[in-house]
Amino acid sequence: MILFTIIGAIIGAGFASGQEIYLFFYRFGINGIYGIIICNIIMTLIIYKTLKIVHEKNINTYKEFLNTIFKENIVLANIMNIIINIFLCVTFFIMLSGFGAYISQKLNINPIIGSSILSVICYIVFLKNIESLTKINSIIIPILIFVIVIIGLKNSLNINYKEISNEKGIFWSVQAILYVSYNLILVEPVIVSLKDFIKNKKQIKITSIITGIIMIILSIMEFLLLANIENFEGLEMPLVNVIENKYQNFSKIYGIIILIAIFTTAVSVGIGFLNNICKNKKSFPQIGAILCISGVIISPIGFSNLVANLFPLFGFLGLIQIIYIFKSKYWYF
């Protein structure tokens, strides 16, 4: 359950649509694959370390986790808590926007209708909290992984790998670190909320390693799928464009995958946000309702604009958290 809940938090609308892989990796050519491998190794280490801290320090809230890694610097911990809460909230809005954009693209209806549908579903899940999320992810995330792998393997046989550029420079490495940084802002609060499901050190190690391996495989397969596109300009969801044009037999299945990916991340970040700001469970319904309604209002801004402009920004801010996690103890296996 922990494994699929963590992966579900990472694989959202940005990932499943191809926007993230294009923005952070594909546009750097073959170097982007190196970036994928490096960033997921770093992510594996930090997920491992976070699970270990949460388990051994018996941490119950994300604020406790920040106070632990920042130690005496409570002011910085509070600042980071505010930044992370803002990012979780914004990411929830991005997921609603992505859901609305996809529904609009497929059914030619107003995007707000799709965003409203997802907000209602999320609100229902919020009332059940983390247990419902782990049960949902344990069913739908394995299906999602299986479908992406099947499409990726089929695609790998039809690619002219020589056409993938080999761009010079080191900016690809910076983007890889930013990708880790902003993803961990999303994942860390979810990991903390999984404390009661963590049983022992062996589980922590296996969960971290398998998460990293799965994300490397899925990311590279998406990277190779994007090689089918000549012009990315104006594409809200480039991966959907590839599958609809090159692999039409999978288009309906992948449409479901997109919606599932958006849903799992929306619920993950929504619960993470609510756990952080709600003083008790009684305030969940009220604040959850405000979150969902606000998301519908903001969703028309546009999915690709939100991903391209906000994710790198929060990636820079999240570097502070990564540095302090690496500085803390608990590295032993």
Side-chain angles (χ1 to χ4, degrees):
M1 283 189 178
I2 293 178
L3 170 67
F4 295 127
T5 301
I6 293 172
I7 293 175
I10 299 171
I11 300 178
F15 183 91
S17 68
Q19 277 287 348
E20 286 182 5
I21 297 299
Y22 168 71
L23 179 66
F24 289 93
F25 304 109
Y26 185 79
R27 62 197 181 106
F28 300 106
I30 199 68
N31 285 330
I33 293 181
Y34 304 144
I36 285 172
I37 295 171
I38 290 171
C39 86
N40 280 291
I41 290 174
I42 296 173
M43 196 178 299
T44 297
L45 292 172
I46 296 179
I47 288 173
Y48 165 78
K49 193 165 186 179
T50 302
L51 286 168
K52 204 165 186 57
I53 292 172
V54 169
H55 178 62
E56 297 193 4
K57 287 289 186 179
N58 193 32
I59 290 173
N60 294 297
T61 67
Y62 191 61
K63 190 170 184 180
E64 285 181 28
F65 174 76
L66 289 175
N67 289 339
T68 299
I69 63 172
F70 287 111
K71 296 180 180 178
E72 303 300 325
N73 200 335
I74 303 300
V75 174
L76 183 56
N78 289 332
I79 292 172
M80 283 303 302
N81 192 41
I82 293 170
I83 291 172
I84 288 163
N85 283 333
I86 292 172
F87 185 56
L88 290 172
C89 184
V90 168
T91 303
F92 179 77
F93 296 161
I94 291 174
M95 296 303 111
L96 293 189
S97 179
F99 196 93
Y102 185 75
I103 293 295
S104 175
Q105 179 179 312
K106 300 299 291 185
L107 301 180
N108 195 28
I109 61 176
N110 193 309
I112 291 181
I113 296 175
S115 300
S116 299
I117 291 171
L118 180 59
S119 70
V120 171
I121 297 172
C122 286
Y123 181 72
I124 293 171
V125 178
F126 291 161
L127 299 180
K128 301 291 183 179
N129 209 342
I130 194 67
E131 289 186 10
S132 60
L133 176 60
T134 57
K135 290 177 182 177
I136 291 169
N137 279 331
S138 65
I139 296 171
I140 62 179
I141 294 302
I143 298 172
L144 184 151
I145 293 169
F146 177 77
V147 173
I148 293 179
V149 168
I150 292 299
I151 297 173
L153 289 174
K154 184 177 178 65
N155 175 71
S156 65
L157 302 174
N158 303 315
I159 292 178
N160 183 354
Y161 293 92
K162 293 181 180 179
E163 292 183 357
I164 299 176
S165 66
N166 189 13
E167 185 175 317
K168 304 297 182 182
I170 62 169
F171 192 62
W172 61 270
S173 59
V174 175
Q175 289 292 87
I177 294 172
L178 290 180
Y179 183 76
V180 176
S181 179
Y182 92 76
N183 262 298
L184 287 171
I185 289 179
L186 302 179
V187 173
E188 298 286 270
V190 175
I191 293 176
V192 173
S193 67
L194 293 170
K195 189 205 79 169
D196 292 338
F197 297 91
I198 304 173
K199 295 181 174 60
N200 51 54
K201 296 176 184 177
K202 183 178 180 181
Q203 180 197 27
I204 291 172
K205 182 160 58 172
I206 292 174
T207 297
S208 305
I209 293 172
I210 295 178
T211 297
I213 292 171
I214 289 175
M215 290 308 304
I216 287 174
I217 293 171
L218 296 182
S219 300
I220 291 176
M221 287 187 171
E222 277 207 14
F223 181 99
L224 296 177
L225 278 164
L226 294 179
N228 292 282
I229 298 178
E230 294 181 1
N231 183 12
F232 287 83
E233 187 176 352
L235 293 179
E236 287 276 308
M237 297 189 170
L239 206 57
V240 175
N241 180 272
V242 171
I243 292 170
E244 288 181 346
N245 288 297
K246 298 286 185 179
Y247 304 99
Q248 295 179 0
N249 293 337
F250 292 96
S251 62
K252 291 183 179 179
I253 296 175
Y254 201 76
I256 296 172
I257 293 298
I258 286 284
L259 297 179
I260 289 173
I262 295 171
F263 166 70
T264 57
T265 299
V267 173
S268 296
V269 299
I271 288 177
F273 175 76
L274 293 174
N275 280 333
N276 283 352
I277 68 169
C278 293
K279 294 182 179 179
N280 53 64
K281 302 299 180 184
K282 291 182 180 180
S283 59
F284 253 63
Q286 293 82 7
I287 297 179
I290 294 171
L291 178 67
C292 291
I293 293 170
S294 301
V296 173
I297 295 171
I298 293 173
S299 63
I301 292 176
F303 172 65
S304 60
N305 288 332
L306 289 169
V307 172
N309 295 313
L310 294 178
F311 278 17
L313 170 62
F314 281 102
F316 278 111
L317 295 174
L319 287 174
I320 299 171
Q321 182 179 220
I322 287 181
I323 291 170
Y324 274 86
I325 291 174
F326 270 111
K327 285 173 63 178
S328 63
K329 299 178 182 179
Y330 302 94
W331 275 119
Y332 56 90
F333 282 81

